[in-house]
Amino acid sequence: MKISVVIPVFREEAIAALLADLLARPDAGALEVIVVDGAPGQDTLGRIPAQLAADPRLTLLASPPGRGVQQNAGAGAARGDILLFLHADTRLPDNAFSLVRQCLADPAPAGGAFSLGYAEASPGLTFIAAAANARSNFTRVPYGDQAVFVRREVFQQLGGFRPLPLMEDLEFMTRLRRRGHTIRILAFPVRTSGRRQLREGLVRCTLRNLFLRLLYHLGVPAGRLAGLYRRHGG
């Protein structure tokens, strides 16, 4: 099965290291990587070395900003059987592509995600990851920083991501589950950056995010949540 990795970026500095890691993986197999820049002309794509940019497996796109909008643009250009949505500050576990193919070789699941882990060593981040993994294993609704993946035909049937300014990942995975699809959470963790949480303060950042998720579940529009997120340090 061919995997299309879709990476939305916005003024991203470390994109070259991420692409080099993905394209050099021994289990890549049939792979394409699609980078969708939400800030064209702001030098994200210019940071990609010419040798990487010339790789036929790599596609570079421009899009209006917004993670959901950018991910839909990447999915629309994808030719793979599986769509894997990857945040630019997240690294996949070893053998990630083999794990995804193995998961979806079973016809039962429509998609899934990896477990959450952080690149930085911190007791607080370890606790946050453990709590997030317990939640996603219970609800079967992972968040985007867990590198969610889905069969392309199922993604198209659901109409992709909603163009929300916040919570687009939660909304899509919730809709996937409510349509009766099976979602699998793989035990292997990604390594995502915890720099923002450490900079803002773990307690403050965690309480703000929990509060915003509660408001989302209570029906507060995503536009208002995005405003609250920005006003409180997001």
Side-chain angles (χ1 to χ4, degrees), residues 139-211:
T139 64
R140 297 289 148 175
V141 179
Y143 288 111
D145 51 10
Q146 293 175 240
V148 300
F149 53 88
V150 62
R151 300 182 194 275
R152 186 175 64 162
E153 68 268 20
V154 174
F155 182 85
Q156 293 171 338
Q157 290 166 9
L158 266 65
F161 292 96
R162 300 284 187 253
L164 303 175
L166 202 66
M167 306 288 186
E168 82 293 330
D169 50 355
L170 178 63
E171 191 281 333
F172 176 79
M173 298 307 290
T174 300
R175 187 157 31 101
L176 183 66
R177 188 200 62 186
R178 287 178 176 171
R179 294 285 182 91
H181 292 291
T182 299
I183 299 170
R184 289 206 177 143
I185 310 298
L186 305 184
F188 303 87
V190 298
R191 291 177 293 111
T192 195
S193 174
R195 288 175 299 173
R196 178 173 54 82
Q197 290 97 320
L198 293 170
R199 184 177 65 248
E200 292 181 20
L202 292 179
V203 174
R204 180 176 183 270
C205 182
T206 300
L207 290 177
R208 179 199 63 209
N209 292 343
L210 288 173
F211 181 62

Side-chain angles (χ1 to χ4, degrees), residues 210-234:
L210 288 173
F211 181 62
L212 291 174
R213 289 165 193 164
L214 174 62
L215 293 179
Y216 171 79
H217 288 299
L218 291 175
V220 176
R224 290 187 61 188
L225 296 179
L228 289 170
Y229 182 68
R230 288 190 294 269
R231 285 199 296 274
H232 292 278

Side-chain angles (χ1 to χ4, degrees), residues 60-146:
L60 306 177
L61 301 177
S63 162
R67 186 171 280 157
V69 173
Q70 291 170 244
Q71 291 179 149
N72 283 343
R79 295 165 292 175
D81 308 291
I82 302 166
L83 303 175
L84 191 156
F85 298 97
L86 182 64
H87 291 185
D89 62 355
T90 299
R91 297 297 181 268
L92 295 172
D94 293 339
N95 301 318
F97 299 131
S98 295
L99 293 169
V100 170
R101 291 187 179 101
Q102 182 180 357
C103 175
L104 295 187
D106 180 349
F114 295 92
S115 296
L116 179 64
Y118 286 99
E120 295 80 6
S122 160
L125 289 174
T126 299
F127 175 79
I128 290 171
N133 289 327
R135 183 207 61 80
S136 62
N137 278 299
F138 177 73
T139 64
R140 297 289 148 175
V141 179
Y143 288 111
D145 51 10
Q146 293 175 240

Side-chain angles (χ1 to χ4, degrees), residues 46-62:
R47 297 176 186 273
I48 301 174
Q51 182 178 358
L52 272 179
D55 193 304
R57 297 171 295 173
L58 179 62
T59 299
L60 306 177
L61 301 177

